[in-house]
Amino acid sequence: MKTIVIVGAGPGLGLSIAKKFGEKGFRVATIARNPEKLAIIERELKELNIETQSFVADVTDLAALKQAIQSAKKAFGSIDVLEFSPYAKEDKFTSVLETTPQSIVNIMNSYLLGGVFSVNEVLPDMINNGSGAILFTTGVSTMFPLPYAGNAGIVGAGMRNYALNLHNELKEKGVFIGHLSIGAMIQPVTEGDPDLIAEAWYNLYENNDHFEEVFPPGLDPTTLLGGN
């Protein structure tokens, strides 16, 4: 049985991804800083008879993140899929004209560094095994410059560059690297329904034939330029 670890799991998208992979036979490990939200996810998954365990860690605390990932390995024996999607708070976004070094560092610490660190923790085993997948979820400013998300776009583009480099290096070694860029508010019963996003993620993982997609499909980035 395979195991997926979801870093930055919440009761929205994280739960939907956990349910989708769980219904496909995966065991699920969730990592987040909020134990109450993790308890909600764990309860719902267990009600669906999905084997799961949660681990508390803030992605900005790399020592705690390392302990959580190592604990997940110990609990499940191996990590076959890592999905990285910590919640990006829009109140931390700065417009391009207001972006400062510190505003970039704030996003970098809460997103990029944790992502790279998480990869470092799981990738060697995946390379040795000749199998595995690492899935990066980002906001659409990663793909299309949006002036109201100046700092987030800089960091997200860096994450995408890192992911694409990994993809190019690993595609012949049995390790799939995928990127899904979300261009809608994540809310149930909308075009950004987390269950739809989870379905798109599983399909991208399962097909394993291209690096990235934008969600919703066919998104016109000019519709996003009105700001927040």
Side-chain angles (χ1 to χ4, degrees), residues 17-94:
I17 292 173
K19 287 180 176 178
K20 173 52 64 175
F21 278 78
E23 75 179 28
K24 298 296 184 177
F26 279 75
R27 300 172 299 186
V28 178
T30 55
I31 298 174
R33 64 181 179 180
N34 189 315
E36 289 79 16
K37 291 181 178 179
L38 286 173
I40 292 171
I41 297 171
E42 192 168 336
R43 182 173 62 250
E44 291 205 29
L45 294 179
K46 287 182 176 179
E47 289 176 355
L48 296 171
N49 296 316
I50 295 170
E51 185 178 351
T52 185
Q53 193 167 335
S54 60
F55 306 89
V56 178
D58 190 319
V59 295
T60 64
D61 184 342
L62 299 185
L65 183 57
K66 180 181 183 69
Q67 183 176 357
I69 294 174
Q70 292 300 322
S71 296
K73 287 183 182 180
K74 185 175 181 180
F76 292 111
S78 66
I79 295 174
D80 302 281
V81 179
L82 171 75
E83 192 275 333
F84 188 80
S85 57
Y87 178 61
K89 294 184 178 180
E90 290 191 1
D91 62 1
K92 295 187 181 296
F93 291 1
T94 56

Side-chain angles (χ1 to χ4, degrees), residues 117-133:
F117 186 85
S118 298
V119 171
N120 292 165
E121 289 297 302
V122 303
L123 185 56
D125 288 342
M126 291 182 179
I127 292 175
N128 287 338
N129 295 334
S131 65

Side-chain angles (χ1 to χ4, degrees), residues 87-108:
Y87 178 61
K89 294 184 178 180
E90 290 191 1
D91 62 1
K92 295 187 181 296
F93 291 1
T94 56
S95 74
V96 66
L97 298 181
E98 297 172 337
T99 291
T100 63
Q102 188 58 51
S103 73
I104 295 171
V105 167
N106 291 341
I107 298 290
M108 185 179 299

Side-chain angles (χ1 to χ4, degrees), residues 21 24 26 176 200-209:
F21 278 78
K24 298 296 184 177
F26 279 75
F176 173 67
W201 242 144
Y202 189 82
N203 289 340
L204 183 60
Y205 161 77
E206 181 71 8
N207 291 334
N208 190 17
D209 60 359

Side-chain angles (χ1 to χ4, degrees), residues 184-201:
M185 292 294 294
I186 301 176
Q187 295 178 343
V189 200
T190 69
E191 66 175 355
D193 190 305
D195 288 346
L196 297 179
I197 298 172
E199 182 76 23
W201 242 144

